[in-house]
């Protein structure tokens, strides 16, 4: 039986071992993403065998993340189906990675309509490439960084520490004031989530970084190890009118990650949420792979468009 509860910080002790067992490069499997977005998106979690069942309830009809973990998948999906039947709602499962699509089709033939949702594909990059920015394709990024270094000869990158949190919050406020896409998404939910991440990064076991220039912080970033060879960057914010701040914090953070966790070969920079500007920005770094995401509906006629 599924016994849902709000996600708490202490849940990392049982969730992270199951995520590591899955060894997925999907950002959806990170405890940080599950926990930090749990307030705004009203997320609840239950353990079912050795799999994690995460339910989002911000919509009228609950929506489930694919149950990552170890062990048999069939009894977990059956429990999810039974739960939805008990509340008289259809079952929708999102965040399904490409490798699980044929598994679902084989285990539950004809029960689900499965479609790719491009908005939530993760962008995964070669860590060494992000750290060096070598090659013609990344020439523009190097130009931005050269401009930044020429303008701010006092720049420095520092690992995130507790004493820098208030400074990062100031950068976040400047970013919100200048963000051109605030009408396209709930930027204030993102703000609350990010503040939670900054204030609890140490307890979450995350790494972060702060970029200083002109005597003040101009960018910060935050992320965590996702699996053996992949690190996921959850947040990256910079003062909008400082040329080169974004590529600079990106490069320096990846260098820091690699110095702290030498096994990291890939950097997952999450999805683009279907936003054109964000898609262009993430494509400009030339990902080496995409983690494709799919949605499975067992009663698609009951679901509104745009799920």
């Amino acid at each position: 039986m599924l016994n849902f509860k709000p996600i708490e910080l202490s849940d990392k002790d049982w969730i992270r071992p199951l995520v590591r067992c899955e060894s997925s490069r999907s950002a959806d499997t990170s405890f940080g993403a599950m926990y930090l977005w749990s307030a705004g998106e009203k997320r609840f979690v239950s353990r079912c065998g050795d799999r994690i069942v995460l339910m989002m309830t911000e919509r009228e009809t609950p929506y489930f993340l694919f149950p990552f973990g170890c062990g048999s998948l069939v009894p977990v999906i059956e429990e999810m189906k039974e739960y939805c039947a008990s509340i008289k709602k259809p079952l929708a499962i999102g965040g399904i990675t490409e490798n699980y699509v044929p598994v679902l089709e084989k285990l539950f033939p004809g029960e689900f309509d499965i479609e790719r949702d491009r908005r939530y594909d993760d962008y995964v990059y070669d860590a060494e490439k992000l750290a060096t920015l070598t090659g013609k394709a990344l020439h523009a990024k190097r130009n931005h960084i050269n401009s930044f270094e020429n303008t701010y000869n006092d720049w420095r990158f520092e690992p995130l520490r507790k004493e820098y949190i208030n400074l990062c919050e100031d950068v976040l406020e400047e970013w919100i004031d200048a963000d051109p896409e605030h009408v396209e998404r709930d930027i204030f939910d993102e703000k609350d989530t990010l503040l939670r991440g900054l204030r609890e990064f140490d307890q979450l076991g995350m790494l972060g970084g702060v970029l200083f220039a002109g005597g003040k912080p101009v960018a910060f970033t935050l992320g965590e190890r996702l699996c053996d060879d992949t690190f996921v960057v959850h947040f990256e914010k910079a003062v909008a009118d400082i040329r080169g701040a974004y590529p600079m914090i990106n490069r320096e953070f990846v260098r820091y990650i690699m110095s702290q966790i030498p096994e990291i070969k890939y950097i997952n920079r999450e999805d683009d949420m279907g936003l054109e500007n964000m898609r262009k920005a993430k494509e400009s770094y030339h990902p080496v792979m995409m983690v494709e995401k799919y949605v499975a509906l067992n009663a698609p006629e009951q679901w509104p468009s745009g799920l």
Side-chain angles (χ1 to χ4, degrees), residues 68-289:
F68 291 102
C70 302
S72 178
L73 185 60
V74 172
V76 183
I77 300 292
E78 292 293 351
E79 288 278 4
M80 293 163 68
K81 289 164 59 179
E82 185 176 327
Y83 177 85
C84 287
S86 72
I87 60 173
K88 298 180 171 57
K89 297 291 185 180
L91 172 61
I93 306 171
I96 303 168
T97 51
E98 185 178 11
N99 60 302
Y100 272 116
V101 171
V103 174
L104 275 179
E105 291 174 335
K106 180 180 179 180
L107 295 177
F108 301 93
E111 291 194 34
F112 292 99
D113 280 5
I114 302 177
E115 296 182 359
R116 184 180 175 188
D117 193 339
R118 173 65 178 82
R119 296 172 299 173
Y120 300 113
D121 289 357
D122 291 338
Y123 293 76
V124 181
Y125 306 85
D126 180 279
E128 186 67 29
K129 281 286 188 183
L130 290 186
T132 60
L133 297 176
T134 56
K136 184 177 179 180
L138 296 173
H139 178 72
K141 304 299 180 186
R142 295 196 301 275
N143 283 344
H144 287 304
I145 284 178
N146 289 337
S147 175
F148 180 90
E149 292 179 317
N150 290 334
T151 304
Y152 303 100
N153 56 18
D154 67 339
W155 76 269
R156 73 184 195 276
F157 172 89
E158 296 280 352
L160 181 62
R161 299 198 293 266
K162 290 181 180 179
E163 57 263 36
Y164 292 154
I165 289 174
N166 288 340
L167 299 177
C168 292
E169 291 177 5
D170 293 340
V171 174
L172 179 60
E173 291 296 337
E174 288 191 57
W175 172 78
I176 289 173
D177 291 341
D179 187 84
E181 294 181 334
H182 68 278
V183 296
E184 296 186 48
R185 52 196 165 92
D186 195 340
I187 200 171
F188 298 105
D189 276 353
E190 184 176 5
K191 174 186 176 182
D192 291 343
T193 298
L194 216 164
L195 289 174
R196 192 179 191 188
L198 285 170
R199 293 165 184 173
E200 299 183 37
F201 85 96
D202 200 23
Q203 299 97 304
L204 285 163
M206 291 186 172
L207 296 180
V210 187
L211 181 66
F212 293 84
K216 66 175 186 177
V218 296
F220 69 90
T221 185
L222 191 66
E224 65 183 301
R225 189 173 190 167
L226 189 56
C227 62
D228 288 346
D229 65 2
T230 306
F231 188 97
V232 59
V233 176
H234 291 306
F235 301 105
E236 182 183 87
K237 304 300 179 189
V239 177
D241 60 355
I242 296 184
R243 183 187 176 192
Y246 274 111
M248 195 69 175
I249 188 73
N250 184 352
R251 187 191 73 176
E252 293 303 304
F253 189 42
V254 173
R255 290 179 175 182
Y256 174 62
I257 293 164
M258 295 175 70
S259 73
Q260 298 301 300
I261 317 174
E263 301 86 358
I264 293 300
K265 305 300 181 186
Y266 301 102
I267 305 295
N268 182 321
R269 290 179 58 80
E270 300 191 334
D271 56 58
D272 60 36
M273 298 185 293
L275 300 174
E276 184 178 355
N277 287 345
M278 191 177 294
R279 180 168 297 185
K280 288 180 179 178
K282 296 198 174 190
E283 288 177 342
S284 70
Y285 277 98
H286 302 282
V288 293
M289 69 183 85

Side-chain angles (χ1 to χ4, degrees), residues 61 89-92 110-113 296-304 307:
T61 300
K89 297 291 185 180
L91 172 61
E111 291 194 34
F112 292 99
D113 280 5
L297 308 177
N298 76 334
E301 71 281 354
Q302 297 182 38
W303 280 91
L307 174 68

Side-chain angles (χ1 to χ4, degrees), residues 5-76:
K5 59 179 282 297
I7 304 177
E8 300 173 350
L9 190 59
S10 60
D11 289 319
K12 72 180 187 295
D13 294 336
W14 67 268
I15 288 179
R16 278 191 171 145
L18 296 185
V19 167
R20 292 290 169 83
C21 175
E22 180 72 45
S23 193
S24 172
R25 292 195 182 102
S26 169
D28 293 330
T29 66
S30 68
F31 177 75
M34 297 181 197
Y35 173 73
L36 292 177
W37 288 98
S38 61
E41 295 189 354
K42 301 178 182 177
R43 297 183 170 196
F44 298 86
V45 70
S46 175
R47 180 167 185 163
C48 189
D50 285 332
R51 290 187 177 270
I52 307 153
V53 182
L54 187 72
M55 177 175 64
M56 285 77 84
T57 62
E58 74 274 17
R59 300 180 177 92
E60 181 181 349
T61 300
Y63 176 65
F64 295 85
L65 185 67
F66 184 82
F68 291 102
C70 302
S72 178
L73 185 60
V74 172
V76 183

